[in-house]
Amino acid sequence: MALQNNKQISEFGDFQTPDYLAQQVTQTLRALDIQPQSVIEPSCGQGAFILAAVNFFANSSQFIGVDIKQAHLDILQKKIITQHVTVPIKTICASFFDVDWLGILHGLPEPILIIGNPPWVTSAELGRLNSSNLPIKSNFQKIKGLGALTGKSNFDISEWMLLEHLKWLQGRRGIVAMLCKTAVARKVLFYAWKQDNFIQEARIYKIDALKYFDATVDACLLIIKIGDIKPKTCYCFEHLSDQKPSETINYYDGRVIADLVNYQKWQHLRGADQNYIWRSGIKHDCAKVMELVKIGGAYQNGNGVIVSLEDDYIYPLLKSSDVANGRVGDCRKYVLITQQYIGEETNKIQEQAPQTWRYLQENAAALEKRSSSVYKKCPEFSIFGVGNYTFYPWKVAISGFYKKLNFQVVPSINNRPVIFDDTVYFVPCSSEEEANFIAELLNYSVARVFFNSMIFWSNKRPITIDLLKQLSIQALAHEIGREAEYIYYTNKGRYWSFVKV
Ligand SMILES: C[S@@+](CC[C@H](N)C(=O)[O-])C[C@H]1O[C@@H](n2cnc3c(N)ncnc32)[C@H](O)[C@@H]1O
């Protein structure tokens, strides 16, 4: 990779592909008998793919490369001269988001190959960098409400671009062949399959991103051939030169499935459970003020300040690492819980716990600085992800941060319900017996196989609340002959309130 400053690399997702890798990719395409008449590289950089394509696709008469950086295109022009390339290559310096792509594609001979390596950057990162290198309609998957507020609307720019490539080719003959994160490839396939885009064939070839880009991420070459719709299956290969797939991923039942055989076997367990609803832990976005350690009889906050606070609003806190490592009987940290439900007025703290109120006032500036929009127009010192369920005395929890399918029974600590951070998912339980029962069910082999059929372990966060919500705990209890216990616990008044009055 050429030496470039870090901000530039981040903002433009600028990881130039080594020539050797671009050549291997074009070889793989040729081995699949892909013979384009036109080749487009929509963010071509210094042109590794365009030049590899010129050498490998003799049938093609059109080569077009676009990049936002003139400096990259200048390097490409120099390479064209030093490598004595005689085929005309058209280069355009422009932002992907401003180009009239349909105008460019219009009249191009088919099949059209859209090849390359789009920028590796997320919308959240661009937000942090205050960059405008984004499509105008950024919230492109139209995630509404809470999802959009809590960052679910974050997306990879390459994901957006790949979906655009597919749109350009609708009604045409063509192929998209792009390097990208494997998680992005699966998301793109998911949307394309869901919308019944004309995918004739899909393949994913693993790429060693550490070797080629010095990046620790699961990356791949995604190949999508546009044509008559065929079964929604993608063949996955370990190496670019492999002939036999190591696995397949399938679109089935409205989801991308990792293991179709086991999914179909246990499909009847899928469904929303009416009684046990998965929840995320608390979000407060101000650890230095809200999280405390106990020192003797006092508390110390994240700024190292010793504070004297009433116990009323303080609860034991367990983080993802505690839950994942089974450290659940005791806690290293405590957390200030200022509300019992979202939107609750906080000014009553003043009367009930004056020292806590003073502490919050003293740290009001830090709390007000929280940038997440979930705190806007809420009572001061608000937290998020709190409700009746937060205060249940027993919980069955799993970390969404670790790659382990292991459900833990979590008791109260010193008679105070445990609070989790927002990377932990849990179901609330009323008693130890109930929590043991639920954990036994969830850790049972059938549940594991069911979850595993939908988990892509190479994802950064393979265990999500959406995944957990796919399993009907009642159907599982029925499956393994324990439905009577399920009914016993759910009829027993699980909805007692544990909220302080
Ligand atoms: C991951 S690099 C890959 C470059 C080239 N495709 C290759 O494979 O070597 C991403 C490229 O996207 C370019 N880029 C970033 N944002 C862009 C935009 N909005 N429009 C066009 N190109 C962009 C960068 O300048 C960079 O050259």
Side-chain angles (χ1 to χ4, degrees):
M1 195 188 0
L3 275 181
Q4 295 150 61
N5 81 46
N6 284 342
K7 182 180 182 235
Q8 288 260 316
I9 292 177
S10 305
E11 181 173 3
F12 296 101
D14 200 343
F15 294 87
Q16 299 295 311
T17 308
D19 293 344
Y20 171 67
L21 177 58
Q23 284 154 12
Q24 273 190 309
V25 167
T26 37
Q27 260 167 358
T28 303
L29 296 176
R30 247 199 11 193
L32 295 172
D33 204 23
I34 290 169
Q35 300 198 22
Q37 296 280 323
S38 318
V39 177
I40 300 182
E41 225 288 37
S43 54
C44 68
Q46 298 169 8
F49 279 103
I50 284 279
L51 293 171
V54 165
N55 286 326
F56 279 88
F57 300 122
N59 287 348
S60 180
S61 57
Q62 301 279 340
F63 295 91
I64 302 167
V66 175
D67 202 277
I68 198 166
K69 285 198 203 157
Q70 185 59 49
H72 284 336
L73 297 178
D74 291 345
I75 292 174
L76 169 57
Q77 287 301 344
K78 275 190 197 139
K79 286 190 196 167
I80 291 172
I81 294 166
T82 53
Q83 293 178 22
H84 308 293
V85 177
T86 49
V87 183
I89 298 175
K90 185 174 176 187
T91 58
I92 302 169
C93 184
S95 170
F96 183 99
F97 310 117
D98 299 335
V99 172
D100 171 16
W101 288 106
L102 291 182
I104 288 186
L105 265 87
H106 181 75
L108 282 186
E110 298 173 3
I112 301 168
L113 171 64
I114 302 175
I115 192 169
N117 176 5
W120 297 34
V121 64
T122 62
S123 56
E125 201 165 342
L126 290 173
R128 268 194 299 280
L129 295 169
N130 216 1
S131 164
S132 58
N133 193 17
L134 281 164
I136 301 162
K137 284 187 192 154
S138 306
N139 197 350
F140 74 103
Q141 288 155 16
K142 299 199 180 73
I143 299 164
K144 292 218 173 84
L146 195 62
L149 284 172
T150 54
K152 218 179 168 186
S153 53
N154 183 23
F155 60 88
D156 276 87
I157 301 304
S158 56
E159 188 183 332
W160 192 89
M161 289 179 169
L162 274 153
L163 288 169
E164 289 294 296
H165 304 152
L166 293 180
K167 271 196 220 154
W168 306 339
L169 289 180
Q170 293 306 294
R172 308 282 304 260
R173 272 194 316 136
I175 302 103
V176 172
M178 288 279 165
L179 301 185
C180 60
K181 293 181 195 165
T182 312
V184 166
R186 278 196 296 267
K187 280 193 214 162
V188 166
L189 284 170
F190 170 76
Y191 290 115
W193 278 328
K194 193 171 161 197
Q195 288 165 10
D196 277 332
N197 278 355
F198 293 87
I199 295 184
Q200 194 171 38
E201 195 182 327
R203 290 170 175 247
I204 284 178
Y205 290 84
K206 268 192 200 165
I207 297 287
D208 185 345
L210 192 60
K211 176 173 161 191
Y212 294 115
F213 300 105
D214 202 14
T216 40
V217 62
D218 273 302
C220 70
L221 166 67
L222 170 67
I223 303 179
I224 297 180
K225 231 183 188 177
I226 303 296
D228 299 334
I229 299 185
K230 288 277 160 61
K232 296 176 175 178
T233 297
C234 173
Y235 298 98
C236 305
F237 300 81
E238 289 298 306
H239 305 103
L240 281 173
S241 54
D242 283 0
Q243 310 272 317
K244 273 199 175 158
S246 54
E247 56 181 4
T248 56
I249 48 182
N250 301 276
Y251 182 78
Y252 189 82
D253 236 2
R255 262 193 104 86
V256 177
I257 302 290
D259 175 351
L260 191 59
V261 173
N262 273 316
Y263 178 79
Q264 284 174 327
K265 185 168 174 194
W266 300 111
Q267 195 178 355
H268 54 283
L269 302 183
R270 191 166 165 198
D273 200 281
Q274 299 302 311
N275 295 294
Y276 294 98
I277 297 167
W278 286 97
R279 307 286 186 176
S280 312
I282 294 283
K283 180 174 164 68
H284 53 63
D285 288 310
C286 198
K288 291 209 158 157
V289 175
M290 303 299 263
E291 294 184 11
L292 308 157
V293 289
K294 214 169 196 172
I295 299 193
Y299 293 101
Q300 185 181 44
N301 72 10
N303 293 317
V305 179
I306 304 281
V307 286
S308 173
L309 303 172
E310 299 88 349
D311 286 328
D312 305 41
Y313 290 89
I314 297 177
Y315 290 82
L317 172 69
L318 292 182
K319 301 222 167 202
S320 247
S321 56
D322 299 317
V323 172
N325 294 307
R327 289 192 305 259
V328 296
D330 205 353
C331 67
R332 294 173 296 159
K333 288 203 163 190
Y334 293 82
V335 62
L336 252 178
I337 297 297
T338 50
Q339 292 166 304
Q340 292 179 7
Y341 55 89
I342 290 172
E344 186 186 20
E345 284 305 329
T346 48
N347 47 17
K348 65 180 176 196
I349 301 174
Q350 181 168 18
E351 216 175 276
Q352 289 177 354
Q355 287 170 299
T356 302
W357 183 251
R358 200 171 320 120
Y359 173 72
L360 288 168
Q361 292 293 339
E362 281 164 11
N363 290 284
L367 286 156
E368 267 161 33
K369 253 204 258 158
R370 297 178 294 177
S371 57
S372 171
S373 47
V374 295
Y375 305 112
K376 304 269 177 295
K377 295 189 188 149
C378 287
E380 56 180 348
F381 318 132
S382 280
I383 55 176
F384 215 74
V386 66
N388 191 6
Y389 50 86
T390 309
F391 303 96
Y392 271 60
W394 290 85
K395 284 151 186 149
V396 175
I398 186 164
S399 159
F401 229 64
Y402 285 69
K403 300 192 176 192
K404 266 199 248 177
L405 208 47
N406 187 17
F407 297 89
Q408 293 281 343
V409 171
V410 181
S412 293
I413 295 177
N414 297 330
N415 288 324
R416 299 285 277 170
V418 161
I419 308 295
F420 300 113
D421 72 24
D422 64 350
T423 63
V424 173
Y425 308 120
F426 68 96
V427 282
C429 294
S430 305
S431 66
E432 181 173 5
E433 298 72 39
E434 184 185 13
N436 283 334
F437 168 66
I438 296 298
E440 268 170 46
L441 291 188
L442 293 170
N443 286 321
Y444 196 73
S445 57
V446 168
R448 266 175 213 283
V449 175
F450 174 83
F451 283 132
N452 263 315
S453 74
M454 286 186 273
I455 295 179
F456 291 95
W457 286 106
S458 60
N459 275 356
K460 198 168 165 197
R461 301 253 191 115
I463 299 168
T464 60
I465 198 160
D466 170 61
L467 170 87
L468 298 168
K469 283 181 176 173
Q470 300 306 315
L471 176 72
S472 158
I473 297 178
Q474 179 160 19
L476 174 64
H478 176 79
E479 176 71 36
I480 60 179
R482 298 185 68 176
E483 198 174 12
E485 288 162 85
Y486 178 96
I487 291 168
Y488 169 78
Y489 288 118
T490 51
N491 283 348
K492 214 176 153 218
R494 277 179 38 70
Y495 294 107
W496 295 337
S497 170
F498 290 96
V499 178
K500 284 187 302 154
V501 275

